[in-house]
Amino acid sequence: TVLAGQRFDLLAELDANGRIEGTVVDESDRPLAGIQVTPERRWRMMPMEGVLTSVTDARGAFVLEDVSPGDVFVAARRPGSQLHVRERVAVSPGQTHQVKLELGGEGTLEGTVKLADGRAPTAAVTVFAQLADTARTEAHQIPTAADGTWSMRVRAGRYRVAAWLVDVGNQNSDQEKVVDLKAGATERVDLRVREADRPLSVTVLEPNGAPSVSATVMGAEAGKNEIFLEDSTDVSGHVTLVADSLG
């Protein structure tokens, strides 16, 4: 509380930003040049504000300057690739941290999405691909073309692949297919989507009662920790989630 004529001195102590140095290599430990490296926060794989993206040099080296303290996920991807590798780095104030990322060989996943009755979808569809043994938040999502076809270039490995209708957010986790993708190969995965039977309507409000815009809403099965549903609220603070297959 400041009364008339009073003056106070305030000392604000700021944590110094950190620095991340690293290299990107292939599966044979050879350096990779021209790889884009981006610092991200964990959720929704969004780049950190105020930190410039780096590109590896001929030695596969990169530097990220002025990184805010805390958990940072360093992401690297080849040009044209749609799925990247991420490594967690705990950044301390004023410290330089080292990290090494490995990009293995890549292949292509492609296919067509249809409704459960065989018809072509009349609304927008999202295709989801999750590499085995990684968190669902590390998965990649792309929209299909107007005719329901889709294609993504990702690193080799075993994938869980699914699709859902965007307008109802249907995760269709019980419709997932598992496919093994080898480096340099193309695997076809045809998927089915269905309309929601039990949509879950969620509204998020700020403390003053105003709608909370772009709030992240996540859901998991009761008693389990893995996040299966994730979406953002619209301008009215509303989002629809579908958990038909989750119980």
Side-chain angles (χ1 to χ4, degrees):
T1 301
V2 181
L3 301 179
Q6 285 186 323
R7 181 187 182 97
F8 292 90
D9 290 327
L10 175 64
L11 176 63
E13 295 185 1
L14 303 179
D15 284 336
N17 285 337
R19 188 172 188 264
I20 299 176
E21 298 178 348
T23 55
V24 181
V25 299
D26 64 14
E27 60 269 30
S28 299
D29 206 37
R30 293 173 297 200
L32 294 174
I35 302 298
Q36 180 175 306
V37 181
T38 306
E40 301 177 343
R41 293 301 186 191
R42 179 178 183 181
W43 300 112
R44 306 191 68 79
M45 295 186 282
M46 297 296 291
M48 292 180 62
E49 293 183 1
V51 185
L52 296 178
T53 294
S54 181
V55 177
T56 58
D57 60 19
R59 298 177 293 107
F62 68 89
V63 176
L64 298 173
E65 302 279 6
D66 292 326
V67 183
S68 300
D71 284 345
V72 176
F73 284 75
V74 181
R77 75 171 73 202
R78 285 187 171 91
S81 179
Q82 291 158 305
L83 192 67
H84 55 204
V85 172
R86 298 210 305 172
E87 290 289 341
R88 174 182 169 273
V89 178
V91 177
S92 300
Q95 300 296 311
T96 296
H97 303 270
Q98 303 289 330
V99 65
K100 185 176 182 179
L101 297 100
E102 179 182 316
L103 289 178
E106 296 186 342
T108 300
L109 296 173
E110 63 180 28
T112 302
V113 179
K114 294 184 178 180
L115 294 173
D117 59 9
R119 293 180 295 119
T122 57
V125 175
T126 293
V127 175
F128 160 97
Q130 178 186 1
L131 190 63
D133 301 322
T134 61
R136 200 173 180 92
T137 52
E138 300 293 310
H140 188 69
Q141 300 177 18
I142 61 169
T144 62
D147 61 357
T149 58
W150 61 276
S151 176
M152 64 172 73
R153 186 156 70 88
V154 295
R155 70 182 188 269
R158 169 164 286 195
Y159 284 87
R160 296 163 54 193
V161 187
W164 57 81
L165 294 167
V166 173
D167 58 354
V168 297
N170 196 337
Q171 303 298 309
N172 280 349
S173 61
D174 62 337
Q175 302 292 311
E176 285 183 347
K177 292 187 176 181
V178 177
V179 58
D180 290 309
L181 179 65
K182 296 181 179 180
T186 297
E187 293 290 340
R188 183 172 181 85
V189 187
D190 293 319
L191 302 167
R192 300 278 177 161
V193 295
R194 61 168 183 266
E195 297 179 344
D197 293 326
R198 294 180 293 160
L200 178 63
S201 178
V202 179
T203 300
V204 183
L205 302 177
E206 298 292 339
N208 64 0
S212 186
V213 181
S214 296
T216 299
V217 179
M218 294 176 286
E221 287 189 82
K224 297 183 179 180
N225 293 325
E226 185 177 4
I227 300 297
F228 279 101
L229 306 173
E230 181 182 348
D231 209 340
S232 295
T233 57
D234 58 20
V235 294
S236 65
H238 176 77
V239 66
T240 298
L241 301 177
V242 176
D244 290 359
S245 61
L246 296 184

